[in-house]
Amino acid sequence: MSALGDLGWEAYPAEGWEEISVMDERNTPMRSYQVCNVMEASQNNWLRTRHIARHAAQRVYIEIKFTLRDCNSLPGVPGTCKETFNVYYHESNNDNLWFIRESQYVKIDTIAADESFTQTDVGDRVMKLNTEVRDISNLSKKGFYLAFQDVGACIALVSLRVFYKKCPSAVHNLAHFPDTVTGGDSALVEVLGSCVNDSEEFEAPRMYCSADGGWLVPIGRCVCKPGFEEGKDDCQPCRPGTFRTSTKDAYCTKCPPHSYSAQEQATECTCDKGYYRTHTDPPSTACTRPPSAPENAISTLNDTSVTLEWRPPRDTGGRADLVYNVHCRKCVQEGAACGPCGGGVHFTPRQFGLGTPRVLVTGLLPNTDYTFSVEAANGVSGQGLSPRQQLTINITTCQTVSVILKERRSKDSVTLAWQGPDRTNGAIVEYEVVYYEKNQRDQNYTVLKTKSNLMTVDGLKLGTTYVFRVRARTDGGYDSYSGEMELETSHEDVLAVGDPNQSTILVVSIAGGVVLLVFLVACFIVSGRHCGYIRAKQDPDEEKMQFQHGRVKLPGSKTYIHPHTYEDPNQAVREFAKEIEASSIRIERVIGAGEFGEVCSGRLRLPSRREICVAIKSLKAGYTEKQRRDFLSEASIMGQFDHPNIIRLEGVVTKCKPVMIITEFMENGSLDTYLKKHDGQFTMVQLVGMLRGIASGMKYLSDMNYVHRDLAARNILVNSNLVCKVSDFGLSRVLEDDPEAAYTTRGGKIPIRWTSPEAIAYRKFTSASDVWSYGIVMWEVVSYGERPYWEMSNQDVIKAIEEGYRLPPPMDCPVSLHQLMLDCWQKERSERPKFSQIVNMLDKLIRNPNSLSELTNSSMWEDPITPELSVSSVDEWLDAIKMGQYKDNFASAGYVTLDSILYISVSELSKMGVTLVGHQKKILASIQTLHVQGNHVQV
Ligand code: AMP
């Protein structure tokens, strides 16, 4: 309230306060009110301001600047001279009062000067400015007037400042608090805050404005809404690519993997195309996708049940809630319509929502094609339009025995004959004939066994109806029973010759055959009757029948016949191989090279048979007669075999050129290549399942007295169901065909690494030497196609074996398997297990997978015969352990020196793209055995 112009204050009486211009301390001109009537007594001079509006203030402060003359410095002044003045105020809503009585004023204070001034010696007046501040509380009217009462002093009022205090507007905890005028007395003013833009109240925000204009005691707060994050005093929108879902999250965070936010303010990120979330997945989790199809199915068929196993899908879609569903379709007869499997088929533990990659399917019909589609599913399967990926497993159950009533002979005997099943779950060992008096099954029944397929049952009652059933026992277990056949013995003791044309032919597929089997076995034990072989009266032609159509009918009594035993080798081909019309073959592509020409895949369509995929070996043009004979000898040998683990001969084309051998097609090619390609990808049970198949095929061959001589993983073929079959039966093969074969000192050509010492030394090839080779195949399988004895020379291998060294267990090899390998490599061939024992042993391991969990301690890297490799760079090391494909991965992850890899972890390997578990294990196992020596490393 200072002014240079006329202030227009009221002063009375007229000779009291007057408004003049003076110079301040810095010689600046200013307006002031002065009074200095010190020479007269009884002064009462009033100076009143104009109406001062209070605004919102309840308490105002008054700052007065003034000068005051020291009475003593005034010459001749009377004793009435004063050195103080009084300040008053009057509250009023009227801003235009023309008169206020003295009694209407309220006194604020009497003001004295802190410093008064005197005349100097030189006559200058030095002004001493005083500043005093007073306050008035609890104002309530529109405004007030101030008044200055002089009672005889010499004063100049230089400036008057009237002000009030407020707490300045502020943002605290994201709440905005407005400008707030302080309270009337010293009380705090409570102020409610309002949430800043894009925020919401978490707890009602409050603060107190103190009397001196400061904010005190903040309570409550606001938080940014989803899609925004806290800035300095405001909420900032989340930038594209980030999101904030809940007010509980501190800040906007980056979109999780496989999601994006294109706009600002995202409260969650949208999944990339093909990726999804379930409604229970929080927005902070990565978007995921349905899994890929399961892989590498193995089916183990046992009569009318099958165990299906598979590898988990390569891509789980990023989720942990993986389950498997198995769909089943069946085709009862070739060409007939296929449909769902129906209720008779049972899945253990269940059909849908399987937690483990394995299911046992029981209750299948015999002689039926089944297709199982295994799909992996997770929480987001079914979202989006893409179809679920499935793994298809086709199996065909074995046929039951077809019983033909040959003749009824007498009042107390009947003769039955039957035809063995076309397809069995192994070689037929014998047949079992069960019969009982009709309606007497519970009391009395008889079980008879025969290796023949003809039987006369004696000792029956006259004129009585009997029920007969027949089933085959194979080396893979029992097949299903044939249908029931009722026969009545004659009433009279006469010879009743059956009319062959009216023979009853029963071919019955029995679902529930297994139940019946259990029932019969139970009855058998209760009745205490003995089952035994009866001397079946055999058809005198039986011997001839064994080799009908080039197929051995009764494996129990059959022996392999060497094609050279035939004077005319073409006769052997005609005997054992079916001639196929070239027109029923369609060649599609070349899949390999054989000794005699190309190997192709294609299709074969025979009259009244389904079209099948086949492999076609052809004899290249310009062959000699000996080559033709040798080429076809493979067919003559293969054609004698009929076993699920022996490559099956479909037939030969000899009547036109090129001469061809047609076999079943094995989709996955040779086992060694297949394992190398799928290193580390199978469970141990799956590997043992493959080995079991090979052993079962070899048992069949050894039972037939066939010695293979070149058993090795490269000569095993694998089909799409991972069934392994023994192949490569050519006569010349060991000598010419096998690139592994080397000349021995005795001149023969032998695959040294796979061959037993006695066969190398003096060509003693037997089933026992095949067992030695089988042990090597086991080692190849468990090590995923590693080369036996690595890069050792053939001479070194022979020497090492002679000195008693044997291949060490491959990585992760169960103790039980390595022990079996060592048994196969017994120096004394009579001490090696037989193939039948090997099959039994592997069956036990498969039935009890826990027996595979004890692993050998040593690894192939520690064995004394392991060659020591000296490597000097990461690349060399990777090459040495056959992981060269990861060179770039290591280099780009910064692993360039050998000591940098010593502490690498599994997660680090995954991050750099080594994701296959088998490969990770191999790399880590190798690192554990690294000994860095300067710049060199010993592996
Ligand atoms: P081989 O003359 O029997 O050694 O056959 C040469 C190559 O052809 C083998 O290594 C296989 O890759 C392929 N092969 C032979 N037979 C079959 C078959 N039945 N199914 C699929 N591939 C086969």
Side-chain angles (χ1 to χ4, degrees), residues 297-308 328-331 361 364-365 367-372 392-398 423 610 721 723:
I298 275 203
S299 56
T300 315
L301 185 63
N302 187 5
D303 196 4
T304 52
S305 66
V306 63
T307 303
L308 307 176
C328 175
R329 285 179 71 75
K330 68 164 188 262
C331 305
V361 189
L364 303 175
L365 298 176
N367 193 30
T368 303
D369 290 334
Y370 284 91
T371 300
F372 296 96
T392 305
I393 308 168
N394 293 314
I395 61 147
T396 304
T397 48
C398 300
R423 272 186 301 242
R610 225 175 9 180
N721 289 340
V723 176

Side-chain angles (χ1 to χ4, degrees), residues 150-204:
D150 165 53
V151 287
C154 191
I155 323 161
L157 277 183
V158 175
S159 112
L160 174 67
R161 198 162 68 90
V162 179
F163 59 94
Y164 56 84
K165 291 185 181 174
K166 44 181 198 176
C167 297
S169 70
V171 174
H172 209 281
N173 285 343
L174 293 179
H176 177 258
F177 294 89
D179 265 352
T180 302
V181 178
T182 53
D185 45 29
S186 55
L188 299 174
V189 179
E190 184 181 1
V191 182
L192 295 181
S194 52
C195 291
V196 299
N197 285 347
D198 305 314
S199 71
E200 60 194 26
E201 209 172 277
F202 180 77
E203 186 192 339

Side-chain angles (χ1 to χ4, degrees), residues 591-595 599 615 617 647 663-666 669-670 717 728 737:
I591 52 168
E595 186 202 349
V599 183
K617 282 188 184 181
I647 193 85
T663 61
E664 65 180 308
F665 179 59
M666 302 292 283
S670 58
L717 292 169
D728 213 5
D737 180 21

Side-chain angles (χ1 to χ4, degrees), residues 481-594:
Y481 277 98
S482 68
E484 290 187 351
M485 183 168 61
E486 289 183 17
L487 288 178
E488 195 183 344
T489 46
S490 313
H491 290 270
E492 292 157 24
D493 193 3
V494 290
L495 199 69
V497 180
D499 176 355
N501 294 331
Q502 289 179 1
S503 297
T504 314
I505 299 175
L506 294 179
V507 184
V508 185
S509 301
I510 308 153
V514 175
V515 178
L516 179 67
L517 165 67
V518 173
F519 172 78
L520 286 173
V521 170
C523 295
F524 185 57
I525 293 165
V526 171
S527 72
R529 290 194 62 150
H530 295 285
C531 77
Y533 293 90
I534 62 159
R535 191 177 292 274
K537 292 175 186 154
Q538 291 186 355
D539 190 316
D541 287 344
E542 186 186 30
E543 288 296 319
K544 283 182 208 147
M545 287 165 62
Q546 285 184 8
F547 295 104
Q548 250 177 11
H549 311 304
R551 293 237 168 229
V552 181
K553 285 293 170 197
L554 293 173
S557 57
K558 73 194 170 185
T559 318
Y560 157 74
I561 298 177
H562 195 288
H564 284 177
T565 45
Y566 286 78
E567 248 170 61
D568 172 10
N570 292 324
Q571 173 62 27
V573 179
R574 279 196 295 278
E575 188 82 48
F576 298 121
K578 185 161 74 186
E579 181 71 27
I580 289 177
E581 291 279 328
S583 60
S584 30
I585 301 164
R586 199 170 74 232
I587 294 180
E588 286 176 336
R589 63 179 145 293
V590 179
I591 52 168

